[in-house]
Amino acid sequence: MPIVFTRSATSMAIEKYVSLAVSVIVGLVFALISWFAEDLPMFAKAFFLFAVTIALILSVAMFRQARAILKDGRDWQVEITDEMLSWFSPIPEQMESFEVKLSDIASVQQKQIQFRNSDRTPDTTFQIEFTDGRTLEIDPQLCGINPVKVFRVLEDKGIEFSVLKEKDQR
């Protein structure tokens, strides 16, 4: 019996719109501070202008992503059978869909890079290593389905799942 994980396009679009709203609000706050604060030094105004520009760029990118998700309307779906792993992404620009035989998968990994002397959240990447030596990177921000859930099921099917923690030396 196949195991299926699904994430709706609507829920993903709502997540993108919430991020869009936050980006717009942050941009507006910086713009208003820059506009109404008369005694700001020039470097501070330049910083606020830079922050507004970044917020605008992020807002446009998030709007395009949300619009592409809603335009397509299909769901993200991962299906795992006894023989196959199928990962469907409705937006090929973000992530290509793929199908692979479980016998071709050597292992799956979650890599976390922890930053020294920082409260910053570790950078996390996921990858599938194949028996022929190739690897497939899975971006957790773009894949639609939580890779840990998928990798745990693959582990139950006999595929090695390892979590590697590395320290950033910077």
Tab-separated table of all heavy atoms in Angstrom, residues 119-170:
chain	number	residue	atom	x	y	z
A	119	ASP	N	23.173	32.568	17.383
A	119	ASP	CA	21.855	32.030	17.699
A	119	ASP	C	21.080	31.720	16.422
A	119	ASP	O	19.919	31.340	16.472
A	119	ASP	CB	21.067	33.021	18.553
A	119	ASP	CG	21.650	33.154	19.947
A	119	ASP	OD1	22.303	32.195	20.409
A	119	ASP	OD2	21.455	34.214	20.571
A	120	ARG	N	21.727	31.915	15.291
A	120	ARG	CA	21.099	31.720	13.994
A	120	ARG	C	20.687	30.262	13.816
A	120	ARG	O	21.393	29.338	14.222
A	120	ARG	CB	22.096	32.132	12.912
A	120	ARG	CG	21.570	32.081	11.531
A	120	ARG	CD	22.603	32.647	10.581
A	120	ARG	NE	22.374	32.097	9.274
A	120	ARG	CZ	23.207	32.188	8.286
A	120	ARG	NH1	24.338	32.822	8.439
A	120	ARG	NH2	22.919	31.672	7.115
A	121	THR	N	19.544	30.064	13.187
A	121	THR	CA	19.061	28.720	12.892
A	121	THR	C	20.021	28.039	11.918
A	121	THR	O	20.459	28.667	10.949
A	121	THR	CB	17.660	28.803	12.247
A	121	THR	OG1	16.794	29.506	13.133
A	121	THR	CG2	17.100	27.429	11.975
A	122	PRO	N	20.357	26.788	12.164
A	122	PRO	CA	21.285	26.101	11.255
A	122	PRO	C	20.734	26.022	9.831
A	122	PRO	O	19.525	25.883	9.638
A	122	PRO	CB	21.408	24.699	11.851
A	122	PRO	CG	20.890	24.789	13.229
A	122	PRO	CD	19.941	25.934	13.273
A	123	ASP	N	21.632	26.115	8.846
A	123	ASP	CA	21.246	25.874	7.460
A	123	ASP	C	21.058	24.378	7.297
A	123	ASP	O	21.925	23.588	7.683
A	123	ASP	CB	22.329	26.355	6.492
A	123	ASP	CG	22.303	27.863	6.294
A	123	ASP	OD1	21.324	28.507	6.708
A	123	ASP	OD2	23.278	28.398	5.728
A	124	THR	N	19.941	23.981	6.706
A	124	THR	CA	19.645	22.567	6.549
A	124	THR	C	19.442	22.251	5.076
A	124	THR	O	18.710	22.947	4.383
A	124	THR	CB	18.373	22.182	7.333
A	124	THR	OG1	18.565	22.531	8.713
A	124	THR	CG2	18.089	20.705	7.234
A	125	THR	N	20.122	21.210	4.621
A	125	THR	CA	19.928	20.722	3.266
A	125	THR	C	19.628	19.233	3.332
A	125	THR	O	19.971	18.551	4.292
A	125	THR	CB	21.180	20.942	2.379
A	125	THR	OG1	22.286	20.258	2.969
A	125	THR	CG2	21.506	22.417	2.244
A	126	PHE	N	18.968	18.757	2.288
A	126	PHE	CA	18.604	17.351	2.203
A	126	PHE	C	19.108	16.817	0.872
A	126	PHE	O	19.111	17.544	-0.127
A	126	PHE	CB	17.079	17.181	2.268
A	126	PHE	CG	16.496	17.632	3.575
A	126	PHE	CD1	16.100	18.940	3.763
A	126	PHE	CD2	16.353	16.742	4.625
A	126	PHE	CE1	15.572	19.363	4.971
A	126	PHE	CE2	15.827	17.153	5.838
A	126	PHE	CZ	15.437	18.462	6.011
A	127	GLN	N	19.548	15.577	0.883
A	127	GLN	CA	19.970	14.995	-0.371
A	127	GLN	C	19.730	13.498	-0.395
A	127	GLN	O	19.711	12.831	0.637
A	127	GLN	CB	21.412	15.326	-0.696
A	127	GLN	CG	22.451	14.734	0.211
A	127	GLN	CD	23.833	15.257	-0.146
A	127	GLN	OE1	24.094	16.426	0.039
A	127	GLN	NE2	24.693	14.405	-0.655
A	128	ILE	N	19.530	13.030	-1.617
A	128	ILE	CA	19.380	11.607	-1.878
A	128	ILE	C	20.644	11.166	-2.605
A	128	ILE	O	21.018	11.771	-3.613
A	128	ILE	CB	18.136	11.331	-2.753
A	128	ILE	CG1	16.866	11.790	-2.025
A	128	ILE	CG2	18.056	9.855	-3.120
A	128	ILE	CD1	15.607	11.711	-2.869
A	129	GLU	N	21.301	10.141	-2.083
A	129	GLU	CA	22.482	9.583	-2.737
A	129	GLU	C	22.081	8.293	-3.434
A	129	GLU	O	21.450	7.422	-2.831
A	129	GLU	CB	23.584	9.316	-1.713
A	129	GLU	CG	24.166	10.580	-1.131
A	129	GLU	CD	25.360	10.315	-0.229
A	129	GLU	OE1	25.762	9.138	-0.074
A	129	GLU	OE2	25.880	11.288	0.325
A	130	PHE	N	22.460	8.210	-4.704
A	130	PHE	CA	22.101	7.049	-5.511
A	130	PHE	C	23.231	6.030	-5.517
A	130	PHE	O	24.385	6.356	-5.222
A	130	PHE	CB	21.760	7.487	-6.941
A	130	PHE	CG	20.549	8.371	-7.001
A	130	PHE	CD1	20.678	9.747	-7.105
A	130	PHE	CD2	19.275	7.834	-6.941
A	130	PHE	CE1	19.567	10.570	-7.152
A	130	PHE	CE2	18.155	8.648	-6.986
A	130	PHE	CZ	18.301	10.016	-7.088
A	131	THR	N	22.901	4.811	-5.884
A	131	THR	CA	23.888	3.723	-5.903
A	131	THR	C	24.981	3.949	-6.945
A	131	THR	O	26.076	3.417	-6.803
A	131	THR	CB	23.199	2.371	-6.174
A	131	THR	OG1	22.426	2.482	-7.380
A	131	THR	CG2	22.299	1.979	-5.022
A	132	ASP	N	24.695	4.766	-7.981
A	132	ASP	CA	25.704	5.039	-9.004
A	132	ASP	C	26.593	6.236	-8.656
A	132	ASP	O	27.392	6.678	-9.472
A	132	ASP	CB	25.055	5.236	-10.372
A	132	ASP	CG	24.135	6.445	-10.442
A	132	ASP	OD1	24.018	7.191	-9.436
A	132	ASP	OD2	23.521	6.660	-11.503
A	133	GLY	N	26.432	6.810	-7.433
A	133	GLY	CA	27.281	7.910	-6.983
A	133	GLY	C	26.684	9.293	-7.165
A	133	GLY	O	27.201	10.263	-6.623
A	134	ARG	N	25.617	9.407	-7.928
A	134	ARG	CA	24.976	10.721	-8.099
A	134	ARG	C	24.262	11.132	-6.818
A	134	ARG	O	23.923	10.294	-5.989
A	134	ARG	CB	23.940	10.684	-9.230
A	134	ARG	CG	24.487	10.463	-10.610
A	134	ARG	CD	23.381	10.409	-11.664
A	134	ARG	NE	22.462	9.298	-11.391
A	134	ARG	CZ	21.135	9.418	-11.298
A	134	ARG	NH1	20.549	10.575	-11.470
A	134	ARG	NH2	20.373	8.369	-11.048
A	135	THR	N	24.038	12.439	-6.673
A	135	THR	CA	23.245	12.941	-5.550
A	135	THR	C	22.189	13.897	-6.081
A	135	THR	O	22.366	14.524	-7.123
A	135	THR	CB	24.108	13.687	-4.511
A	135	THR	OG1	24.726	14.807	-5.134
A	135	THR	CG2	25.149	12.776	-3.897
A	136	LEU	N	21.094	13.981	-5.362
A	136	LEU	CA	20.010	14.892	-5.694
A	136	LEU	C	19.747	15.761	-4.476
A	136	LEU	O	19.394	15.240	-3.410
A	136	LEU	CB	18.756	14.115	-6.085
A	136	LEU	CG	17.488	14.926	-6.337
A	136	LEU	CD1	17.658	15.842	-7.544
A	136	LEU	CD2	16.299	14.012	-6.533
A	137	GLU	N	19.952	17.069	-4.612
A	137	GLU	CA	19.687	18.016	-3.524
A	137	GLU	C	18.195	18.351	-3.508
A	137	GLU	O	17.591	18.566	-4.562
A	137	GLU	CB	20.484	19.300	-3.737
A	137	GLU	CG	21.972	19.141	-3.612
A	137	GLU	CD	22.461	19.277	-2.181
A	137	GLU	OE1	21.816	19.975	-1.382
A	137	GLU	OE2	23.496	18.670	-1.887
A	138	ILE	N	17.646	18.419	-2.323
A	138	ILE	CA	16.242	18.805	-2.154
A	138	ILE	C	16.207	20.030	-1.261
A	138	ILE	O	16.641	19.976	-0.103
A	138	ILE	CB	15.415	17.649	-1.555
A	138	ILE	CG1	15.427	16.466	-2.522
A	138	ILE	CG2	13.995	18.101	-1.264
A	138	ILE	CD1	14.707	15.258	-2.027
A	139	ASP	N	15.707	21.119	-1.797
A	139	ASP	CA	15.620	22.376	-1.052
A	139	ASP	C	14.361	22.343	-0.188
A	139	ASP	O	13.243	22.268	-0.726
A	139	ASP	CB	15.566	23.555	-2.019
A	139	ASP	CG	15.635	24.901	-1.315
A	139	ASP	OD1	15.203	25.008	-0.149
A	139	ASP	OD2	16.121	25.856	-1.947
A	140	PRO	N	14.506	22.421	1.132
A	140	PRO	CA	13.324	22.318	2.002
A	140	PRO	C	12.345	23.483	1.833
A	140	PRO	O	11.181	23.360	2.177
A	140	PRO	CB	13.914	22.284	3.411
A	140	PRO	CG	15.261	22.887	3.295
A	140	PRO	CD	15.738	22.588	1.900
A	141	GLN	N	12.804	24.605	1.289
A	141	GLN	CA	11.924	25.757	1.086
A	141	GLN	C	11.086	25.628	-0.177
A	141	GLN	O	10.062	26.290	-0.302
A	141	GLN	CB	12.753	27.046	1.015
A	141	GLN	CG	13.542	27.335	2.266
A	141	GLN	CD	12.648	27.575	3.462
A	141	GLN	OE1	11.628	28.239	3.360
A	141	GLN	NE2	13.007	27.016	4.594
A	142	LEU	N	11.513	24.801	-1.112
A	142	LEU	CA	10.844	24.745	-2.405
A	142	LEU	C	10.187	23.409	-2.723
A	142	LEU	O	9.484	23.289	-3.718
A	142	LEU	CB	11.854	25.069	-3.521
A	142	LEU	CG	12.552	26.423	-3.423
A	142	LEU	CD1	13.568	26.575	-4.536
A	142	LEU	CD2	11.551	27.558	-3.459
A	143	CYS	N	10.410	22.402	-1.879
A	143	CYS	CA	9.951	21.059	-2.235
A	143	CYS	C	8.491	20.798	-1.872
A	143	CYS	O	7.935	19.798	-2.301
A	143	CYS	CB	10.852	20.002	-1.623
A	143	CYS	SG	10.832	19.952	0.160
A	144	GLY	N	7.874	21.664	-1.081
A	144	GLY	CA	6.448	21.527	-0.789
A	144	GLY	C	6.099	20.545	0.313
A	144	GLY	O	5.129	20.734	1.024
A	145	ILE	N	6.844	19.486	0.461
A	145	ILE	CA	6.605	18.446	1.468
A	145	ILE	C	7.829	18.385	2.384
A	145	ILE	O	8.960	18.507	1.914
A	145	ILE	CB	6.405	17.067	0.812
A	145	ILE	CG1	5.307	17.094	-0.257
A	145	ILE	CG2	6.154	15.976	1.841
A	145	ILE	CD1	3.911	17.222	0.267
A	146	ASN	N	7.610	18.191	3.666
A	146	ASN	CA	8.716	18.105	4.615
A	146	ASN	C	9.582	16.878	4.297
A	146	ASN	O	9.118	15.742	4.416
A	146	ASN	CB	8.163	18.008	6.035
A	146	ASN	CG	9.226	17.987	7.094
A	146	ASN	OD1	10.407	17.815	6.820
A	146	ASN	ND2	8.809	18.164	8.337
A	147	PRO	N	10.843	17.103	3.893
A	147	PRO	CA	11.703	15.971	3.535
A	147	PRO	C	11.956	14.997	4.689
A	147	PRO	O	12.153	13.801	4.447
A	147	PRO	CB	13.016	16.626	3.101
A	147	PRO	CG	12.662	18.021	2.757
A	147	PRO	CD	11.511	18.379	3.637
A	148	VAL	N	11.946	15.474	5.929
A	148	VAL	CA	12.192	14.571	7.063
A	148	VAL	C	11.114	13.485	7.116
A	148	VAL	O	11.416	12.311	7.345
A	148	VAL	CB	12.273	15.353	8.393
A	148	VAL	CG1	12.358	14.406	9.578
A	148	VAL	CG2	13.461	16.299	8.391
A	149	LYS	N	9.866	13.861	6.897
A	149	LYS	CA	8.785	12.871	6.907
A	149	LYS	C	9.007	11.811	5.827
A	149	LYS	O	8.844	10.613	6.071
A	149	LYS	CB	7.435	13.554	6.660
A	149	LYS	CG	6.946	14.408	7.788
A	149	LYS	CD	5.601	15.008	7.431
A	149	LYS	CE	5.062	15.880	8.535
A	149	LYS	NZ	3.749	16.456	8.177
A	150	VAL	N	9.392	12.276	4.645
A	150	VAL	CA	9.631	11.354	3.534
A	150	VAL	C	10.822	10.451	3.842
A	150	VAL	O	10.762	9.229	3.652
A	150	VAL	CB	9.865	12.143	2.225
A	150	VAL	CG1	10.225	11.205	1.082
A	150	VAL	CG2	8.635	12.973	1.875
A	151	PHE	N	11.898	11.041	4.354
A	151	PHE	CA	13.105	10.266	4.630
A	151	PHE	C	12.878	9.250	5.746
A	151	PHE	O	13.467	8.177	5.744
A	151	PHE	CB	14.271	11.190	4.970
A	151	PHE	CG	14.822	11.947	3.777
A	151	PHE	CD1	14.239	11.871	2.520
A	151	PHE	CD2	15.935	12.741	3.917
A	151	PHE	CE1	14.749	12.561	1.426
A	151	PHE	CE2	16.467	13.435	2.837
A	151	PHE	CZ	15.871	13.335	1.587
A	152	ARG	N	12.030	9.564	6.717
A	152	ARG	CA	11.713	8.601	7.790
A	152	ARG	C	10.990	7.376	7.217
A	152	ARG	O	11.244	6.248	7.633
A	152	ARG	CB	10.858	9.248	8.880
A	152	ARG	CG	11.569	10.292	9.693
A	152	ARG	CD	12.484	9.662	10.717
A	152	ARG	NE	13.185	10.707	11.446
A	152	ARG	CZ	14.413	10.613	11.862
A	152	ARG	NH1	15.102	9.511	11.671
A	152	ARG	NH2	14.989	11.614	12.501
A	153	VAL	N	10.088	7.616	6.273
A	153	VAL	CA	9.394	6.484	5.640
A	153	VAL	C	10.385	5.658	4.833
A	153	VAL	O	10.348	4.421	4.857
A	153	VAL	CB	8.230	6.985	4.752
A	153	VAL	CG1	7.635	5.844	3.933
A	153	VAL	CG2	7.151	7.636	5.602
A	154	LEU	N	11.297	6.338	4.122
A	154	LEU	CA	12.321	5.601	3.369
A	154	LEU	C	13.204	4.786	4.308
A	154	LEU	O	13.603	3.662	3.980
A	154	LEU	CB	13.165	6.574	2.539
A	154	LEU	CG	12.440	7.265	1.374
A	154	LEU	CD1	13.346	8.292	0.717
A	154	LEU	CD2	11.929	6.249	0.366
A	155	GLU	N	13.477	5.341	5.489
A	155	GLU	CA	14.253	4.608	6.486
A	155	GLU	C	13.515	3.336	6.914
A	155	GLU	O	14.116	2.275	7.063
A	155	GLU	CB	14.528	5.514	7.682
A	155	GLU	CG	15.400	4.900	8.749
A	155	GLU	CD	15.668	5.855	9.905
A	155	GLU	OE1	14.736	6.603	10.308
A	155	GLU	OE2	16.808	5.856	10.406
A	156	ASP	N	12.203	3.459	7.088
A	156	ASP	CA	11.393	2.288	7.433
A	156	ASP	C	11.412	1.240	6.322
A	156	ASP	O	11.190	0.055	6.573
A	156	ASP	CB	9.945	2.697	7.720
A	156	ASP	CG	9.810	3.515	9.002
A	156	ASP	OD1	10.754	3.503	9.826
A	156	ASP	OD2	8.759	4.179	9.168
A	157	LYS	N	11.680	1.673	5.104
A	157	LYS	CA	11.745	0.758	3.955
A	157	LYS	C	13.153	0.200	3.760
A	157	LYS	O	13.430	-0.468	2.772
A	157	LYS	CB	11.298	1.476	2.682
A	157	LYS	CG	9.887	1.998	2.748
A	157	LYS	CD	9.018	1.266	1.803
A	157	LYS	CE	7.608	1.842	1.855
A	157	LYS	NZ	6.628	0.781	1.830
A	158	GLY	N	14.081	0.506	4.697
A	158	GLY	CA	15.412	-0.077	4.641
A	158	GLY	C	16.495	0.802	4.040
A	158	GLY	O	17.619	0.349	3.846
A	159	ILE	N	16.187	2.053	3.751
A	159	ILE	CA	17.180	2.971	3.190
A	159	ILE	C	17.799	3.761	4.337
A	159	ILE	O	17.086	4.298	5.194
A	159	ILE	CB	16.538	3.911	2.152
A	159	ILE	CG1	16.042	3.080	0.964
A	159	ILE	CG2	17.521	4.982	1.695
A	159	ILE	CD1	15.212	3.841	-0.026
A	160	GLU	N	19.123	3.826	4.357
A	160	GLU	CA	19.829	4.515	5.437
A	160	GLU	C	19.501	6.012	5.432
A	160	GLU	O	19.590	6.678	4.404
A	160	GLU	CB	21.337	4.332	5.276
A	160	GLU	CG	22.141	5.033	6.350
A	160	GLU	CD	23.646	4.972	6.084
A	160	GLU	OE1	24.082	4.214	5.217
A	160	GLU	OE2	24.359	5.718	6.774
A	161	PHE	N	19.120	6.530	6.600
A	161	PHE	CA	18.844	7.960	6.784
A	161	PHE	C	19.803	8.476	7.841
A	161	PHE	O	19.792	8.020	8.976
A	161	PHE	CB	17.400	8.176	7.214
A	161	PHE	CG	17.044	9.607	7.559
A	161	PHE	CD1	17.605	10.676	6.877
A	161	PHE	CD2	16.140	9.884	8.564
A	161	PHE	CE1	17.272	11.992	7.191
A	161	PHE	CE2	15.791	11.189	8.887
A	161	PHE	CZ	16.362	12.242	8.195
A	162	SER	N	20.659	9.415	7.455
A	162	SER	CA	21.614	9.966	8.412
A	162	SER	C	21.430	11.467	8.536
A	162	SER	O	21.077	12.154	7.581
A	162	SER	CB	23.050	9.648	7.976
A	162	SER	OG	23.306	10.143	6.690
A	163	VAL	N	21.665	11.964	9.751
A	163	VAL	CA	21.628	13.392	10.030
A	163	VAL	C	23.050	13.809	10.371
A	163	VAL	O	23.628	13.345	11.354
A	163	VAL	CB	20.677	13.716	11.210
A	163	VAL	CG1	20.689	15.209	11.509
A	163	VAL	CG2	19.263	13.234	10.909
A	164	LEU	N	23.625	14.646	9.526
A	164	LEU	CA	24.999	15.106	9.713
A	164	LEU	C	24.978	16.541	10.223
A	164	LEU	O	24.319	17.395	9.636
A	164	LEU	CB	25.770	15.046	8.389
A	164	LEU	CG	25.763	13.700	7.678
A	164	LEU	CD1	26.406	13.830	6.309
A	164	LEU	CD2	26.504	12.675	8.503
A	165	LYS	N	25.695	16.774	11.305
A	165	LYS	CA	25.791	18.129	11.857
A	165	LYS	C	27.211	18.615	11.701
A	165	LYS	O	28.157	17.946	12.150
A	165	LYS	CB	25.355	18.145	13.314
A	165	LYS	CG	23.904	17.795	13.496
A	165	LYS	CD	23.436	17.941	14.911
A	165	LYS	CE	21.949	17.578	14.970
A	165	LYS	NZ	21.368	17.909	16.224
A	166	GLU	N	27.359	19.761	11.072
A	166	GLU	CA	28.672	20.346	10.851
A	166	GLU	C	28.716	21.729	11.491
A	166	GLU	O	27.703	22.400	11.594
A	166	GLU	CB	28.954	20.499	9.355
A	166	GLU	CG	28.929	19.194	8.587
A	166	GLU	CD	29.085	19.393	7.090
A	166	GLU	OE1	29.280	20.550	6.647
A	166	GLU	OE2	29.004	18.405	6.365
A	167	LYS	N	29.897	22.125	11.895
A	167	LYS	CA	30.098	23.469	12.462
A	167	LYS	C	30.731	24.343	11.392
A	167	LYS	O	31.700	23.957	10.738
A	167	LYS	CB	31.033	23.405	13.666
A	167	LYS	CG	30.464	22.620	14.809
A	167	LYS	CD	30.039	23.531	15.881
A	167	LYS	CE	29.623	22.695	17.097
A	167	LYS	NZ	28.548	23.246	17.796
A	168	ASP	N	30.172	25.513	11.203
A	168	ASP	CA	30.745	26.482	10.274
A	168	ASP	C	31.965	27.090	10.968
A	168	ASP	O	31.870	27.540	12.111
A	168	ASP	CB	29.729	27.566	9.924
A	168	ASP	CG	30.224	28.485	8.850
A	168	ASP	OD1	31.141	29.291	9.154
A	168	ASP	OD2	29.727	28.429	7.722
A	169	GLN	N	33.076	27.135	10.304
A	169	GLN	CA	34.322	27.599	10.923
A	169	GLN	C	34.522	29.115	10.795
A	169	GLN	O	35.523	29.627	11.253
A	169	GLN	CB	35.513	26.875	10.273
A	169	GLN	CG	35.449	25.375	10.454
A	169	GLN	CD	35.360	24.950	11.918
A	169	GLN	OE1	36.005	25.493	12.783
A	169	GLN	NE2	34.505	23.974	12.188
A	170	ARG	N	33.564	29.813	10.179
A	170	ARG	CA	33.728	31.258	10.047
A	170	ARG	C	33.528	31.965	11.339
A	170	ARG	O	32.890	31.649	12.228
A	170	ARG	CB	32.751	31.818	9.023
A	170	ARG	CG	33.120	31.380	7.633
A	170	ARG	CD	32.201	31.991	6.654
A	170	ARG	NE	31.234	30.933	6.296
A	170	ARG	CZ	30.134	31.149	5.644
A	170	ARG	NH1	29.782	32.338	5.300
A	170	ARG	NH2	29.334	30.174	5.334
